[in-house]
């Protein structure tokens, strides 16, 4: 098994699409992003050429925070009720799926094993990707187009379902570990679906309300 990869100097950002994906500081001024090659994609030019046996694929798993990490360790994981975030690393970039209210792509990237919110837990080697550079780029294009941020759902269309699908697109040899889906898989029950859907709509409403500017009197 390969050793865990070294860190890449890449920060998280909110991309509009594959062509405009930028993985440096969110606050950095990019007045003409279309005229510059995004850093996290430009890194692909400097990446080592595909080895005869393929490029290493990693699934990075996070606890949602320190508290859920404690709960995951002391019961939730073993009961298939864990609360996890996941991202997929290929060519030194870690890609994940996040929520938003636009039709822009929900695919973001960050430094491998360094999500800005969630607490890193472990990395799982998923084998060597048999695709060449063009094949990997095509797989990225497909997920960027097919995973708009507005389609996010905490049970049916989340970061772990994205990770599983992306690894499938990359033809990862190793099977996706089902425990990573955790409580989300249990929530797919037809009996729980109405409760989950109502809770998710309430959560989105709450986020909108929090983001709205205070009324002026």
């Amino acid at each position: 098994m390969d050793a865990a990869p070294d860190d890449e100097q890449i920060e998280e950002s909110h991309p509009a699409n594959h062509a405009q994906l930028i993985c440096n500081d969110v606050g950095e001024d990019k007045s003409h992003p279309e005229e510059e090659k995004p850093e996290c994609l430009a890194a692909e030019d400097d990446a080592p050429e595909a080895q005869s046996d393929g490029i290493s694929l990693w699934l990075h798993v996070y606890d949602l925070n320190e508290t859920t990490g404690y709960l995951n360790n002391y019961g939730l994981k073993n009961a298939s009720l864990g609360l996890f975030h996941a991202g997929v690393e290929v060519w030194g970039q870690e890609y994940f799926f996040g929520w938003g209210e636009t039709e822009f792509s929900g695919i973001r990237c960050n430094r491998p094993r360094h999500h800005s919110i969630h607490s890193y837990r472990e990395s799982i080697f998923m084998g060597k990707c048999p695709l060449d550079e063009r094949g990997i780029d095509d797989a990225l294009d497909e997920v960027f187009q097919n995973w708009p941020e507005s389609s996010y759902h905490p049970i049916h269309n989340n970061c772990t379902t994205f990770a599983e699908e992306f690894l499938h697109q990359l033809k990862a040899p190793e099977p996706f570990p089902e425990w990573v889906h955790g409580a989300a898989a249990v929530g797919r029950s037809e009996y729980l679906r109405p409760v989950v859907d109502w809770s998710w709509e309430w959560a989105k409403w709450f986020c909108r309300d929090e983001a709205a500017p205070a009324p002026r009197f």
Side-chain angles (χ1 to χ4, degrees), residues 8 13 16 34 42-43 50 58 62 66 74 87 106 108 120 125 132 150 162 171 198 206 209 216:
E8 295 291 335
S13 76
E34 70 280 5
W58 291 88
Y62 301 76
E66 292 184 1
Y74 291 93
R108 282 86 154 154
Y120 173 73
F125 181 60
D132 58 14
S150 60
F162 162 75
K171 302 186 183 302
W198 180 87
F206 180 79
D209 189 59
R216 296 182 178 180

Side-chain angles (χ1 to χ4, degrees), residues 2-55:
D2 286 12
D6 293 334
D7 294 343
E8 295 291 335
Q9 299 304 313
I10 300 166
E11 300 295 336
E12 180 183 352
S13 76
H14 183 138
N17 52 49
H18 186 189
Q20 293 180 322
L21 180 64
I22 300 170
C23 289
N24 46 14
D25 290 338
V26 177
E28 183 176 349
D29 180 23
K30 292 286 184 180
S31 56
H32 301 286
E34 70 280 5
E35 298 176 0
E36 300 184 32
K37 188 166 186 181
E39 290 188 11
C40 77
L41 294 182
E44 293 178 2
D45 292 342
D46 302 324
E49 294 184 1
Q51 303 171 4
S52 59
D53 57 347
I55 299 298

Side-chain angles (χ1 to χ4, degrees), residues 107-154:
I107 309 306
R108 282 86 154 154
C109 68
N110 57 255
R111 274 194 301 163
R113 310 187 305 281
H114 284 79
H115 193 278
S116 61
I117 297 175
H118 304 304
S119 301
Y120 173 73
R121 181 181 184 89
E122 63 184 274
S123 296
I124 303 169
F125 181 60
M126 300 301 292
K128 297 281 189 174
C129 177
L131 303 178
D132 58 14
E133 181 177 357
R134 177 64 179 272
I136 293 174
D137 199 53
D138 287 345
L140 274 168
D141 281 335
E142 184 166 345
V143 296
F144 271 80
Q145 293 171 13
N146 295 334
W147 290 77
E149 60 181 19
S150 60
S151 70
Y152 184 94
H153 187 281

